[in-house]
Amino acid sequence: MRKFCETYLKKLHIGNITTESNVLMAPLAGYTCYPFRIMCRKLGAGLAFTEMVSANGLKFNDKATARLLYTDAAETLKAAQLLGSVPSAFENACKGGYTADYDIIDINMGCPVPNVVKNGEGCALTQDLRLASRIIEACKRSGKVVTVKFRPGMNREKIVVSEFARMCEDSGADMITVHGRTRNMMYDGEPVYEYIAEAKRSVNIPVIANGGIHSEEDAIRMMDNTGADGVMIARFGLEDPMIFAELTGKVTKETRLSLIMGQADMAEKCFDELSAMEHIKKIASYFMKRLPGTKSLKQEMYSCGNLLQLREILVRIFGETEK
Ligand SMILES: Cc1cc2nc3c(=O)[nH]c(=O)nc-3n(C[C@H](O)[C@H](O)[C@H](O)COP(=O)(O)O)c2cc1C
């Protein structure tokens, strides 16, 4: 079988930023907090994005937002994703203190969730190219590198992928990511390679392909069929973050146990105990997806009430499988 790292691995040039690899970890609401991003980067991801953060919400100094954007010097390239529909809110968010440490601002123009779309945010912006353009220009005025993540359109009858990609480039975007599913597909079904290929043919900035990558074979097929400059992995990155090492040819001694313990160490340092446990349990249950016979251990994990106990259970769950 062909190896991704021999065929397609390269650095990405995004504005004035160069990444170590073209294999990226997607923004995932509820998951891609600081410890998770650091883990993916250590395993070879060229970038790992924060989950979407409301551009408007950054006006209010609330603790939850601060947690979403928590970072420190160990995260060498920092990429935050913003969601919204008001250009001035984006401009203020990009120029404000919360994103001051971030190198890259990614704009969410792909979220399909009904409440988001109803607000004219996320994927709704694929129906309003003028507004989408004003949002990109507003972000660019901060001087930061700006990227856009979007879907090809609302449904198969409303595909706007070429003109949307060109609009992003003309408005100053430094990279685009195309999730190859339309809005009405939500998160299911096969991504359509041809939509991503159309975007790639339309612009000169880097184009990243996203959707349905669950293996090295999938990543190679995505690159073969789209001509994209790189891949972005979402749900499978939660299930098996080793995919980043596999695709980038990185040699690592990490195991599922060492990775989950690493998450526990980092989460304990930067979150309160409750938030740390919540994060570890969510990641551990994704790691367990492919472990048969762990139902009762999973129940035990969910009912345990402190970090010490949680660590013991994790050793029982993942220690056994590593031998
Ligand atoms: C639980 C969950 C949360 C997500 N949160 C975000 C988000 O905050 N921002 C975003 O752009 N996409 C978000 N997505 C979409 C993913 O980034 C990605 O585009 C999508 O899951 C397709 O990739 P995959 O097939 O590799 O999972 C989310 C998806 C899921 C399942």
Side-chain angles (χ1 to χ4, degrees):
M1 198 191 106
R2 277 189 298 157
K3 302 286 293 169
F4 185 96
C5 65
E6 285 162 11
T7 322
Y8 285 124
L9 184 66
K10 64 173 187 179
K11 292 176 192 266
L12 287 173
H13 302 287
I14 314 167
N16 60 5
I17 287 173
T18 302
T19 63
E20 274 306 307
S21 83
N22 54 349
V23 181
L24 312 185
M25 178 62 207
L28 278 170
Y31 295 96
T32 51
C33 57
Y34 169 84
F36 192 80
R37 299 196 304 271
I38 290 282
M39 175 179 69
C40 295
R41 292 290 309 284
K42 279 193 179 147
L43 290 171
L47 287 173
F49 293 81
T50 71
E51 69 176 82
M52 57 185 177
V53 176
S54 161
N56 215 27
L58 285 183
K59 281 195 301 217
F60 311 105
N61 296 332
D62 75 314
K63 261 189 174 170
T65 309
R67 192 190 135 191
L68 297 182
L69 290 174
Y70 176 88
T71 181
D72 70 13
E75 192 170 26
T76 47
L77 275 179
K78 302 176 181 26
Q81 192 191 59
L82 297 179
L83 175 83
S85 63
V86 181
S88 60
F90 275 92
E91 185 165 349
N92 292 336
C94 292
K95 290 178 175 171
Y98 276 121
T99 60
D101 290 339
Y102 280 84
D103 308 287
I104 298 177
I105 299 295
D106 186 63
I107 309 172
N108 182 323
M109 298 197 181
C111 182
V113 172
N115 278 345
V116 167
V117 172
K118 223 169 27 205
N119 278 342
E121 303 173 338
C123 199
L125 288 163
T126 60
Q127 296 176 297
D128 191 342
L129 272 68
R130 262 178 64 85
L131 179 59
S133 170
R134 285 176 52 220
I135 290 172
I136 298 168
E137 287 169 358
C139 291
K140 283 295 286 186
R141 283 195 284 278
S142 67
K144 289 188 192 287
V145 168
V146 174
T147 61
V148 181
K149 180 167 178 278
F150 65 94
R151 293 186 184 232
M154 298 298 277
N155 55 52
R156 282 176 62 159
E157 282 69 50
K158 288 186 185 163
I159 299 301
V160 292
V161 70
S162 308
E163 54 266 48
F164 203 84
R166 273 195 296 273
M167 176 281 296
C168 289
E169 184 171 46
D170 292 345
S171 309
D174 297 291
M175 180 181 87
I176 55 174
T177 301
V178 185
H179 176 187
R181 297 182 178 98
T182 53
R183 189 257 167 155
N184 68 327
M185 292 171 79
M186 301 298 282
Y187 299 105
D188 302 322
E190 288 299 311
V192 181
Y193 296 140
E194 185 48 28
Y195 296 150
I196 303 171
E198 271 185 47
K200 176 60 192 167
R201 286 194 292 270
S202 305
V203 294
N204 293 310
I205 50 175
V207 175
I208 304 301
N210 166 240
I213 298 174
H214 294 254
S215 64
E216 181 161 21
E217 226 176 321
D218 289 341
I220 291 175
R221 198 177 317 118
M222 178 65 103
M223 295 293 280
D224 283 347
N225 286 286
T226 62
D229 297 286
V231 290
M232 178 183 274
I233 300 171
R235 284 164 292 183
F236 194 69
L238 292 176
E239 208 173 310
D240 186 4
M242 288 294 203
I243 186 76
F244 294 108
E246 202 179 333
L247 296 187
T248 57
K250 204 157 188 156
V251 179
T252 172
K253 290 207 169 83
E254 297 285 3
T255 60
R256 261 190 290 215
L257 180 64
S258 70
L259 290 178
I260 198 69
M261 287 306 181
Q263 289 299 284
D265 293 345
M266 275 189 276
E268 192 173 3
K269 268 191 209 133
C270 52
F271 304 143
D272 60 60
E273 186 168 15
L274 217 67
S275 312
M277 285 203 302
E278 190 195 340
H279 171 67
I280 300 159
K281 288 175 184 179
K282 279 198 291 192
I283 300 301
S285 57
Y286 253 100
F287 281 16
M288 287 160 85
K289 267 194 158 184
R290 287 182 300 165
L291 286 183
T294 49
K295 199 171 162 204
S296 67
L297 279 169
K298 197 174 197 171
Q299 277 165 357
E300 212 181 312
M301 175 181 83
Y302 268 105
S303 60
C304 104
N306 66 58
L307 263 170
L308 200 67
Q309 273 175 10
L310 181 54
R311 283 176 187 274
E312 282 166 12
I313 295 170
L314 293 174
V315 172
R316 274 162 48 212
I317 297 172
F318 297 107
E320 295 302 310
T321 61
E322 307 291 348
K323 285 166 200 147

